[in-house]
Amino acid sequence: MSNGFDERNQQNDLGAVVRSGREILFQAFNWESHKYDWWRNLEMKVPDIAKCGFTSAWLPPATHSFAPQGYVPQNLYSLNSSYGSEHQLRALLQKMKQYKVRAMADIVINHRCGTTQGHGGMYNRYDGIPLPWDERAVTSCTGGLGNQSTGDNFHGFPNIDHSQQFVRKDITAWLQWLRNSVGFQDFRFDFARGYSAKYVKEYIEGAKPLFSVGEYWDSCNYNGHGLDYNQDSHRQRVINWIDGTGQLSTAFDFTTKGILQEAVKGQLWRLRDPQGKPPGLMGWWPSRTVTFLDNHDTGSTQAHWPFPSNHILEGYAYILTHPGIPSVFYDHFYDWGDSIHDKIVKLMDIRKRQDIHSRSSIRIMEAQPNLYSAIIGENLCMKIGDGSWCPTGREWSLATCGHGYAVWQNCPMPPNNLLFDGLDAQRTMAG
């Protein structure tokens, strides 16, 4: 039942998870999850999440929020939310601990909805709830009496002024509570563009999560004809943010997402940069890169920037065989049918058995409009696209394939790989 490596090493060494590089993350919700008794729903799925090989599950914001999805927090110390009660949350976290899947908290600390009107008639005071800040905790650019923001504004809500020492002290204590009392082990920092990365560094050092990832999402570079081939300035901005955290946090690879979802539409030449490397963040700093296809903002019912649905498995064939730290989205895994679920599990299984990790070497063999192929590590190669390609020169065997993708391995898998080929039969017998 154990995932990854020795748990005691993780608890005692905060860099151990990133150094190992053998994570596979799971985003365990979408934009509509708050309607569906979510903590209970997830608790029932924990055994499957663990069996499939996920090491960490990112949960939606667990604290009280003005909006049901959790992204307009108000009372940070209340764990009763639209996803369920505190009791249900703690039961879920206990189940995850039992099955050795780490729980990732969604940390929404760029903005906070006030309880009472203060300066300028704005709701920028927090009277009557824990952390009863006054207007000094809100940036001057969003109606408070604090300093200017150290990042971009999240419009429509009071943005928290992290330059205030009393604010940082309170937030650090809250994060320590989530980590040590509630039972979250990993952090995901929401809207990380909104405040300086040096504060993320301070919060990680103070609360000591085992793994952190930041949502540094800004627009890729486009021209009049579509997406630019060269996205170096885009990925450099994310790298600067990671550097600003003291390299303590990873970041979501929005660069790879933007390129990959154009590439699978017959532009696979995009998947090799001028230096012959992967063109996203993955190509420059794979150990600090979390790759993904969609999340609750880009996909789900919001669909702000969705990955093309008829190319999902090609997308997973890419990120689950490549360097970086891959993440799988709830909708694709549980809502799009057993066939897609099982094919994703198969790709995850191949990744683990061939010991592909965040720093695995990669040689890109082909990057043409309708064909991309690469050799990853010593014993794995893959292709996506409808172009013809096969590995040569060694004894390769086909590990898995589907519409638009194929993966080969150089050494045979153990017999218990049959577990995944027999999932449908098991389900039929069980149900």
Side-chain angles (χ1 to χ4, degrees), residues 22-89:
R22 285 164 177 83
E23 302 298 298
I24 303 180
L25 310 183
F26 179 56
Q27 180 175 356
F29 67 99
N30 61 38
W31 193 245
E32 306 297 327
S33 298
H34 62 94
K35 299 174 180 175
Y36 299 105
D37 198 12
W38 203 245
W39 300 145
R40 278 198 187 131
N41 172 52
L42 285 182
E43 188 182 351
M44 291 187 290
K45 287 185 164 61
V46 168
D48 186 60
I49 291 168
K51 183 182 74 175
C52 293
F54 293 108
T55 53
S56 178
W58 162 22
L59 304 185
T63 53
H64 167 262
S65 166
F66 202 68
Q69 295 85 3
Y71 291 97
V72 188
Q74 192 171 63
N75 183 349
L76 295 178
Y77 277 97
S78 169
L79 293 174
N80 294 305
S81 72
S82 55
Y83 296 102
S85 67
E86 175 175 351
H87 177 76
Q88 291 166 343
L89 171 65

Side-chain angles (χ1 to χ4, degrees), residues 202-326:
E202 183 175 331
Y203 297 142
I204 292 174
E205 289 172 339
K208 299 179 172 52
L210 295 181
F211 179 85
S212 296
V213 58
E215 181 206 24
Y216 193 94
W217 181 14
D218 66 358
S219 179
C220 287
N221 306 324
Y222 290 88
N223 57 52
H225 306 287
L227 186 73
D228 284 347
Y229 166 62
N230 188 320
Q231 295 292 330
D232 286 358
S233 63
H234 186 265
R235 53 179 168 172
Q236 185 63 52
R237 290 194 292 275
V238 187
I239 281 189
N240 294 345
W241 181 86
I242 298 170
D243 264 332
T245 72
Q247 306 180 13
L248 295 179
S249 182
T250 65
F252 286 111
D253 192 349
F254 283 93
T255 318
T256 289
K257 173 181 166 52
I259 294 169
L260 184 59
Q261 65 189 30
E262 295 304 316
V264 294
K265 302 172 188 173
Q267 301 175 33
L268 292 167
W269 51 266
R270 292 181 177 274
L271 294 180
R272 178 163 55 191
D273 76 6
Q275 285 70 48
K277 294 184 175 184
L281 192 62
M282 175 210 299
W284 279 0
W285 206 351
S287 70
R288 298 298 189 279
T289 294
V290 174
T291 53
F292 71 104
L293 302 188
D294 264 327
N295 62 31
H296 59 290
D297 289 323
T298 66
S300 188
T301 52
Q302 294 201 93
H304 289 316
W305 199 37
F307 199 92
S309 59
N310 55 330
H311 294 287
I312 285 293
L313 286 171
E314 291 156 83
Y316 280 117
Y318 181 85
I319 68 172
L320 286 170
T321 59
H322 275 52
I325 300 163

Side-chain angles (χ1 to χ4, degrees), residues 156-184:
F157 300 99
N159 285 212
I160 295 171
D161 180 8
H162 294 264
S163 72
Q164 304 283 0
Q165 197 275 334
F166 75 92
V167 168
R168 296 200 307 280
K169 179 169 176 272
D170 283 348
I171 289 177
T172 299
W174 175 67
L175 293 172
Q176 290 169 339
W177 174 72
L178 289 176
R179 175 79 178 86
N180 301 320
S181 298
V182 181
F184 286 101

Side-chain angles (χ1 to χ4, degrees), residues 85 152 197 221 226 329 334 375 386:
S85 67
D152 294 338
N221 306 324
F329 184 38
Y334 283 123
I375 299 174
D386 55 18

Side-chain angles (χ1 to χ4, degrees), residues 1-4 24 26 44-55 95-96 98-101 333-334 341-342 344-346 348-349 352-353 416 418-427 430:
M1 206 182 291
S2 176
N3 286 324
I24 303 180
F26 179 56
M44 291 187 290
K45 287 185 164 61
V46 168
D48 186 60
I49 291 168
K51 183 182 74 175
C52 293
F54 293 108
T55 53
K95 186 80 162 278
M96 293 175 70
Q98 176 190 343
Y99 279 84
K100 295 182 168 55
V101 178
F333 203 65
Y334 283 123
H341 173 280
D342 295 350
I344 293 171
V345 170
K346 180 76 171 179
M348 291 170 59
D349 186 50
K352 285 181 292 177
R353 292 178 189 279
N416 65 352
L418 293 173
L419 168 70
F420 296 100
D421 292 333
L423 274 175
D424 286 331
Q426 286 181 15
R427 285 193 181 121

